[in-house]
Amino acid sequence: MSEQQIKITLAQLNPTVGDVTGNAAKARAARETAKAAGADLVVLSELFIAGYPPEDLVLKPAFQAACRAEIEQLARETADGGPAMLIGTPWVEDDKLYNACALLDGGRIAALRFKANLPNYGVFDEKRLFARGPAPGPVTVRGVRIGVPICEDIWLEESEEYENVVECLAETGAEILVVPNGSPYARDKADLRLSIVVARVTESGLPLVYLNEVGGQDELIFDGASFALNADLSVAAHLPAFEENITTLLWRKTADGWRCNGPIAPQLEGDKADYAACVLGLRDYVRKNGFPGVLLGISGGIDSALCAAIAVDALGADKVRGVMLPFRYTAQVSLDDAAKLAAAIGIRYEVLPIADAVNGFEKILAPVFTGLERDITEENLQARARGTLLMAISNKTGAMVVTTGNKSEMSVGYATLYGDMNGGFNPIKDIYKTEVFRLSSLRNSWKPDGALGPSGEVIPTNIITRPPTAELRENQTDQDSLPPYDMLDAILERLVEHEEPLADIIAAGFDRDVVTRIDRLLNIAEYKRRQAAPGVKVTRKNFGRDRRYPITNRFRDFGKVLPAPDETLLTRTSRASAEAFEG
C-alpha cells in the first residue's frame, strides 16, 4: 500500500448458523480473493464465524470455544503477509460474552472491538445474550485508523443507555468507518439504512463502508446490498442485493480526506425485492437444512401457484413436486389450471383424488356425529386429508412440504390446523393476499437474477383473474365469509403493522362492524399462528418474531374513543416514585 491509498475488500457472503468450519472456509476463500486483488483488508459481516443470528446457540460453551478456535487459526494464517481480516465472532472475556469483531493481521489477533449498543426490539434479542462493550477506539490497518462500529452502533443516538459510538471514534482519530452488519431485509428498509448512514457521515465527517450479510436464516432474510458513502455523501460503491459478492474498493487520501469511486450495482425495490427475498428465503431454508427438494399441494389457486413458481426459481424444477388432491367440490377449471401451471414451470405433477380418504373419515366418525348437523367440521376433513397425504409423501421421500397460506389468511384464521397449514416452511407467510396477486403478475413479466425457473408467463392468467376459493363446498368463494381482499388487507395493515386503535380505523372510513369482526378474528386466531410453519419475513412486523401476542387474552378494543390521559392525577411525587421503581 502506498502512503495515500488503502484497498478494502467487502466480502458480502452467506454464512450458515452453527457451521463454524464452513464459515471459516468461506472467510479463508474470501481472503484469497482479496489477496489476489492486492487488498490490505478484507471485511466480513457481523458474527460471521458463528452465523447470524445464533440466538441461544451462542450461550453454549462448546460453541463459543469452536468459534474462538477457528478465529485463532485464521489469525495464524495472516502471517503470510496477505491482507488483514476483520471478522465478526462471539468472544468471551472476563467471563462476559461479547458480540465482537476481531482484526486478524500478522499472524495474530491484532485487535478486538465489542458491540456497545445491543438491539432488543423487533427480531433482535441481544441484551439477554451479550454484555455491552465499552466505547471503542479505532484499529490501525497499514497505518490507516479504521473505526469499527458494529451494526446497531450506528443506528442509535447517544442517551443514558446508548453510546454515540461514531462520535467517539471520530474524536479518537478514526479516518474511515467500516461497519459489519447483520441487518435483516424488510420492505423499504434500504431507504432507512441510507438515512441512518447519511446521518452518521454528516455528524462525523468520515466516509463509511456498510458491509451486510446476505442469505436466509429461518424467517430472516439478509439482503446484502452493501454500500459505501464518501464524506460528501456521494455513493462510493453499492453491491448487488440478494446474492454473494466480493468487491475490492480502492480508497485514496485526498486533501478532503479518504475517497473511493467503486462499482454501483442496480438495486431491487418494492415487489421485486419482496419476490427475491421469498426466493432466497426458501432456497436457503431447504439447502441449509439438507432437504433433497420440496413438494406442495397444487390447488389451481393463486397462493399455491405463486409458491410453486417461487420454489422452482429457488431450487429448480427437478427439486419441486406438485400434487393435486381433488374432491367432489374441485372444479374442472381448477384441475385444468393446476395442470397448466405444472407444465409451465416444468415440475413433476400428480393427481391423487381424496374421496376414499374423506369418505373413510366420515364413516369412522358417523357414530360420534349421529344427530349433529353437517358443518365446517366436514369441510376441514378435506383439508386434513390433504395434509396427511402430503406429509406421508414427505416422510417417504424426504422432500419438505411447502405450505402456502398468505398473511391475510394467517391473520384471520382462514386456514385449517393439521390441514393446509401442514408443512415445513412458507415462502408467502408475510405476504398479504393483494400482494400475492401483484407478485404473481410480476413474475409473469420478470424474474430475479439467479432464478432457476423459466422466463415468461408461468402462472396461467386465469389463476390470477379467477375469484379465490377454498373449494370445500359447492360454489364457495373466499368473499362468502371475508370482506373483499383490498378492504381486508387495508384493515389488517392498520391492525397488524401499525397497531392502530379501532376507533381510528373506523374514523378513517371503514365500516365499524367489519373492523370489529376482523379484529376479533385476528385475536382468536393467535393459537393457530403459534402452530404455523416458519416463513419468510418481508414486512416490518411479521407473525412470530415481531408480533407476539398471548393466546389467552381477554382484552378487546371495542372501537370506543377513550379519554386522553389525565396528567393531573400523576403528581410529582408519584412520578418520581415510578421512576425510582423502574430504576
Side-chain angles (χ1 to χ4, degrees):
M1 183 201 76
S2 70
E3 184 179 349
Q4 296 298 312
Q5 67 182 37
I6 184 171
K7 284 186 175 182
I8 300 175
T9 297
L10 307 186
Q12 177 179 288
L13 299 178
N14 186 348
T16 298
V17 167
D19 186 8
V20 180
T21 301
N23 296 339
K26 276 182 170 283
R28 189 172 290 115
R31 184 171 181 269
E32 287 301 311
T33 301
K35 184 177 181 180
D40 302 291
L41 173 67
V42 57
V43 184
L44 295 110
S45 54
E46 180 179 11
L47 289 177
F48 183 86
I49 202 72
Y52 188 82
E55 300 184 82
D56 284 13
L57 177 62
V58 80
L59 300 177
K60 196 176 184 68
F63 182 68
Q64 298 165 3
C67 291
R68 179 160 183 159
E70 289 291 353
I71 291 294
E72 290 175 347
Q73 178 56 34
L74 289 169
R76 295 184 190 100
E77 294 170 14
T78 62
D80 64 0
M85 176 182 289
L86 189 65
I87 184 169
T89 182
W91 193 265
V92 177
E93 190 163 297
D94 298 328
D95 295 323
K96 293 181 178 180
L97 177 64
Y98 293 97
N99 180 336
C101 249
L103 177 66
L104 315 180
D105 196 19
R108 64 192 181 92
I109 300 172
L112 286 164
R113 290 295 178 264
F114 301 148
K115 191 173 183 177
N117 296 327
L118 303 174
N120 206 57
Y121 57 86
V123 303
F124 303 108
D125 194 19
E126 290 196 24
K127 286 185 179 179
R128 61 184 292 273
L129 300 175
F130 299 107
R132 180 180 176 183
V139 301
T140 301
V141 179
R142 310 297 190 266
V144 180
R145 294 184 298 277
I146 305 290
V148 189
I150 303 172
C151 198
E152 197 76 6
D153 285 341
I154 70 168
W155 283 70
L156 299 171
E157 305 285 350
E158 183 175 10
S159 67
E160 291 182 3
E161 186 176 3
Y162 298 111
E163 299 278 357
N164 190 324
V165 174
V166 170
E167 181 180 88
C168 179
L169 288 166
E171 290 175 351
T172 51
E175 300 172 70
I176 302 173
L177 300 173
V178 175
V179 189
N181 290 269
S183 179
Y185 171 78
R187 190 176 298 149
D188 301 325
K189 193 172 183 181
D191 292 340
L192 178 60
R193 288 183 191 140
L194 182 60
S195 68
I196 294 295
V197 170
V198 165
R200 299 295 87 81
V201 171
T202 299
E203 70 187 24
S204 67
L206 299 176
L208 187 151
V209 176
Y210 186 100
L211 187 278
N212 194 24
E213 175 181 340
V214 68
Q217 171 58 30
D218 296 344
E219 301 98 324
L220 299 182
I221 308 304
F222 298 89
D223 53 324
S226 306
F227 63 97
L229 291 189
N230 291 308
D232 63 2
L233 302 181
S234 62
V235 178
H238 209 153
L239 275 55
F242 303 107
E243 62 184 69
E244 290 188 312
N245 183 279
I246 299 176
T247 294
T248 299
L249 302 179
L250 173 61
W251 291 83
R252 290 188 172 90
K253 192 170 186 180
T254 70
D256 296 320
W258 290 93
R259 187 173 185 84
C260 170
N261 291 298
I264 299 176
Q267 299 297 304
L268 295 179
E269 298 178 344
D271 289 341
K272 288 184 177 180
D274 284 356
Y275 188 89
C278 292
V279 169
L280 179 58
L282 180 60
R283 176 185 293 148
D284 273 4
Y285 192 85
V286 171
R287 291 182 177 177
K288 290 181 178 181
N289 286 291
F291 292 104
V294 299
L295 72 141
L296 71 164
I298 303 292
S299 67
I302 194 167
D303 295 326
S304 63
L306 179 60
C307 287
I310 289 170
V312 171
D313 283 343
L315 306 169
D318 61 321
K319 299 289 196 300
V320 182
R321 183 175 187 171
V323 185
M324 162 56 92
L325 300 155
F327 191 53
R328 62 174 172 265
Y329 303 121
T330 303
Q332 184 61 47
V333 66
S334 296
L335 290 161
D336 294 342
D337 285 345
K340 290 176 183 176
L341 169 74
I345 58 179
I347 63 173
R348 178 176 177 177
Y349 175 70
E350 292 142 317
V351 180
L352 302 179
I354 65 170
D356 288 347
V358 176
N359 293 337
F361 282 136
E362 291 199 16
K363 183 177 179 181
I364 294 169
L365 291 165
V368 182
F369 288 177
T370 299
L372 301 176
E373 295 291 329
R374 293 181 68 86
D375 56 16
I376 196 172
T377 305
E378 284 75 18
E379 294 183 14
N380 286 340
L381 281 177
Q382 299 168 50
R384 291 182 174 131
R386 292 182 173 112
T388 298
L389 292 171
L390 290 173
M391 290 306 299
I393 299 171
S394 174
N395 289 164
K396 185 64 71 175
T397 66
M400 184 195 76
V401 176
V402 171
T403 184
T404 63
N406 60 69
K407 190 171 186 176
S408 305
E409 293 174 350
M410 297 309 301
S411 295
V412 296
Y414 201 76
T416 303
L417 278 174
Y418 326 119
D420 56 325
M421 288 179 66
N422 275 7
F425 194 79
N426 184 347
I428 64 167
K429 183 179 180 180
D430 204 26
I431 303 289
Y432 286 111
K433 187 75 169 192
T434 49
E435 295 162 351
V436 168
F437 285 106
R438 291 209 313 267
L439 293 187
S440 297
S441 296
L442 170 67
R443 179 56 184 85
N444 280 346
S445 60
W446 166 90
K447 66 175 182 177
D449 291 342
L452 301 177
S455 300
E457 183 178 299
V458 294
I459 299 176
T461 302
N462 191 58
I463 289 179
I464 299 174
T465 58
R466 184 183 172 208
T469 172
E471 293 192 320
L472 298 177
R473 61 178 181 270
E474 292 287 357
N475 301 316
Q476 182 186 27
T477 67
D478 291 2
Q479 257 61 80
D480 294 342
S481 52
L482 295 173
Y485 277 115
D486 55 351
M487 180 190 300
L488 174 64
D489 289 354
I491 294 171
L492 287 173
E493 184 171 354
R494 289 169 177 266
L495 288 171
V496 176
E497 318 300 326
H498 304 292
E499 300 282 6
E500 287 189 25
L502 266 60
D504 291 356
I505 301 174
I506 294 164
F510 293 93
D511 180 82
R512 173 181 292 273
D513 291 342
V514 173
V515 171
T516 54
R517 177 169 173 264
I518 297 307
D519 182 63
R520 176 181 176 276
L521 292 174
L522 177 65
N523 282 301
I524 64 176
E526 184 65 31
Y527 80 102
K528 287 188 178 183
R529 290 190 289 272
R530 291 286 184 95
Q531 301 178 67
V536 175
K537 167 183 161 64
V538 300
T539 68
R540 295 287 177 86
K541 186 168 287 189
N542 76 328
F543 292 124
R545 283 181 174 269
D546 291 318
R547 189 182 191 276
R548 290 168 283 182
Y549 269 59
I551 296 172
T552 304
N553 168 24
R554 288 193 177 182
F555 176 78
R556 294 294 182 267
D557 178 354
F558 295 105
K560 297 179 180 178
V561 179
L562 299 176
D566 188 347
E567 293 290 340
T568 64
L569 299 177
L570 185 62
T571 65
R572 176 173 296 183
T573 302
S574 63
R575 190 186 301 276
S577 299
E579 291 172 352
F581 179 78
E582 290 172 0

